[in-house]
Amino acid sequence: MPAPSPGQSASTSQEPEFRKQVDEVSIDLTVHNKKRKPILDLKPEDLAIADNGTPVKLTELHLVRGNSARGHLVTLVFDPFSGAVAREARVDAQKILKLFPEKEYEFAVLDLGGRLRLLQPFTTDRKLVDSAIAVETDSHPITLTTTLSLDVNITRDTADSKRSAFAGAAEKNLIAVARTGVDASGRNAGTIEKQRAQMLLSALQNAQKITQEQHTYRSLAGLQALVESQERAPERKALIYFTRNRQMDSSAQQMITKVAAAATRAGVTIYIVDLDAMNDAHSYEMSNAEGNAMPRFVPGKDKIGCGSGGCEYVQRLQQEYGEPIHGDPSTSGYVWKSKHDIMVMTDFQRQSGDYAMFAYKKNPMIALSEISGGLYLDPQNGFKKGLLQLSEELTTYYEATYTPPKHDSDGSYRTISISPVRKDLRVQSKAGYFAVAPGEEQGLRPFERPMLKLLDTNESPADVPFHATVLRFGEMTEGNTSTLAIAVPVKTLDFQRNEQDHLYSAHICLEARVRDSHGVEVERVGDDITSRGALESVDRDGTAAITLDRHFISAPGPYMLEVAVVDRMNGKVGVQRIPFEIPGPEKAGISDIVLVKKTDQIASDDQDSVEPLRYESSRITPNISGELAPGAKGLSLFLVLHPEAAAKGDPTLEMQVIHNGKAGRRIPLPLRSGLAGAALPYMASFGQNALAPGDYKVIAYLKQGDNLTEKQVQFHVGQNGLGNQPETEAGSVQATVASLDPSAGIVSGGAGQLAITPLDNPTAPLAPEAAKQLIEDARERALSYRDSLPNFMCVEVTNRSDDPGASGRWKLHDSLVEVLKYRDKQETRTTIELNGKRSTVDRQAMRGSLSAGEFGGVLQAIFSQPAQAEFKWKSTEALGTGTVQVFDYNVSPAHSNFTVTASNGRETKPGFHGQVYIDSATRSVRRVSLIADELPKNFPTHATRIDVDYDYVAISDRDYLVPVSAEMRLIQGRHSAVLNTMEFRNYRRFGSTMRMVNYTPLDPKPDQK
């Protein structure tokens, strides 16, 4: 990366952020007139400014044009795109890049392809930036691009491998510069370049932590990590995010607020470039189709049916204004007809109190731009104007300062309101700031400040019970590594119960810090967490807990862990202070032994090699309570071995189990040879046999040469429900080494004996009893799914493609956009667009295959009792930010309720099979596939498959599990294949107060009687 110019170096001595000033607030203003031309002669008296409602006067105001001594950092972030959308992203990025002056602007390029990933660190070299953008937006899909995240081998982008290699080289170079100041080629980097590299490396690492700790979208975690990493940079900072509209639940929308607050604290202005071509371009048609009381968008009438008296027509979704719906005028008064019944049924404006919810809502990420003082840019609507405004804001603006009124430095958010006194002015700036005392740390969120003050006192309230500890793992890749771990049992909190959805919702804030013997803070973590899970995990076994862990590097010595937890539902507080010591290196060492609560699959692109709670491709959640439920099975232990590099001979490992004071014999466990000097993660398991109640102690012994090290862990197994289990005889509990073949399983060594074995596969099979219970819980939710949904509307986008030779070469046939209305457990659809043009064609009149029943129909077909589906557990997998249990299932033809209708109208009910993905936390189905078995040989359709993805989406003031995408595939005729991809967007709730007045169904056609 080229060395910074002299102007950039000078900018480091300036402090643009108001938070560094003792008694002044500094803000940047962009000012233009009604015609959006910049104002260049602004005076302080032209503006009226209020700080949290109190008028203040500007003490300084000056214009900045073009280059600034402060310098500018511009971060370009891309969501993954393919095909035409990727090309559009490249064109838009190039247009934006041309807006900036050649000097004093540094650019970095990153993407969110599974995780936050670097393609180009900060540089002033535009050629390097152009090259990174070209690689990021390069796309060569060899089949149809699908909206579904299922692995069905439909789309493969050959540019992905090049992109991954490019990012890998960039990140390798970044790590070298951040740690040594020398890049991969041996070039010495300057001080500023090293600081930039450290800033980006911090963002890459923290993005992984935020994803894991807050269980949020990786894109939001990446954005938060980026803006937080730039907080101390003195330059003027902008982040331009290329994205597409998406569905989000309420917790994700809360996360957006967190990111926006972090951007405000860091002084990062966020600009959103929304590449979703659907939402703005067709918002007018959508709101008409949704019944928003707007004028009709297509003159004419629609045929609603025909009977013996002829056909009936009505105006296309026409809404009347200012007067009630009435019949046609005649000499004898108003005459009511069937068309007026239709008008009543579609008159949402008058009969629903929730009609305001129909108002079109754009990308939820607009809040990021609005709060941080940025812009929302839509390439489909007014993009040129937005580009000009973006250019003006980043290159022509005012720097203003004022002295705020006296206030408490409590970290609260204070608003800044600016009103033009001079006519025809339009002013844009940040919406406010966080009040902090001079010298205090600036990265604190509002909830953290009072919690830290509580930790600074000697008070230790215990109104919120929780568990906290530090797990010490010894010398790892980055140094002496430990993990602070916290677990708050949900049963001790004041949580909300949703009996209809079988879910609980709990909300806590926590703050934890580690301080050394001198009181110096070594590590600190704070979070505001909303947790959702199955009620059964609270009511049935009480295992539900809100957990957080964070690893840190520290030198050997004494430390203090301080933790504060606040239950946001009732304001109760719990505080713990726990002394601990980090030991020095041992010749042959063992880490703390960790009880494994669960293991989660790690995404293939998660490269956080520093994380100590990791075994192979799984991440470990520790059980730090030391308590196991009665009849616990599948208990695993995790530890890290540290063989001595200089010692002669290979190390040996032994384990001993002590139950209720009765010791078994020490049993050797196998280790791979040639491990001296390397940290070795190791897992052992008690197998699938139920543990007898009582107190347990497990001791691990590592011996190498003359050195012997031991560590132990203790835990307790409850007794409820196991009162008739015989007590183990003295000395009969022992460890036996089972086969190293994971498929061989782990068996008891005999009556009263306990087996323990090394574990090659950390993801143990789900116990049969647990699998059966999970299926029954999922069945209960599936069968009540329709009842749990509110009346709502959404937009369904269907892309239909053909592959005449069934060779994988898909060709888009048409694209259909419909408004889907779900009311009183029934789905209806209204067409608003066909192939990019307005349309009111009825889907029943369209040729080709279409699907319905995603809102419960598929689930009913699988889980209903008459179906008698047979389920078999297959695997544990990661889905989104959670863990799912995957089951294969099969329904025989005799019990099938799945109907396949051919193009000629023939119907058949075949048997079917597929997979269901059940969320381990909520026990609801998150993904399902349905594949027809052995269709009749003379049936026009030879094969069919349906896949549906479900996710939580905020509708009104609640989160609901709804379809977000689906696919249907058919093989018809001899070879022809059909593929439909469906995406469900813009969920809106509407009231159920609509009435049907004098409604009489039309007579059916003669041939339908």
Side-chain angles (χ1 to χ4, degrees), residues 118-196:
L118 177 73
L119 285 92
Q120 174 60 52
F122 283 107
T123 180
T124 56
D125 190 332
R126 298 295 176 89
K127 292 183 179 179
L128 293 178
V129 178
D130 285 334
S131 176
I133 292 175
V135 171
E136 169 56 33
T137 57
D138 188 23
S139 179
H140 304 287
I142 61 174
T143 57
L144 176 71
T145 300
T146 175
T147 60
L148 187 60
S149 58
L150 293 170
D151 183 16
V152 292
N153 299 319
I154 295 172
T155 301
R156 185 168 64 88
D157 198 329
T158 57
D160 284 341
S161 57
K162 178 182 178 182
R163 200 157 26 245
S164 297
F166 193 91
E171 291 178 352
K172 181 179 179 180
N173 191 69
L174 179 84
I175 293 172
V177 173
R179 293 177 179 171
T180 67
V182 179
D183 69 12
S185 68
R187 179 183 65 86
N188 289 318
T191 302
I192 294 179
E193 184 179 350
K194 183 177 180 181
Q195 290 174 350
R196 299 274 195 270

Side-chain angles (χ1 to χ4, degrees), residues 20 36 38 47 52 66 158 165 180 187 369 386 388 393 489 513 542 549 612 614 780 783:
K20 306 296 184 182
R36 309 200 71 83
L47 302 174
N52 229 32
T158 57
T180 67
R187 179 183 65 86
S369 58
L388 292 175
E393 288 189 7
R513 68 185 181 190
D549 55 78
R614 179 171 181 160
E780 183 179 3
L783 297 182

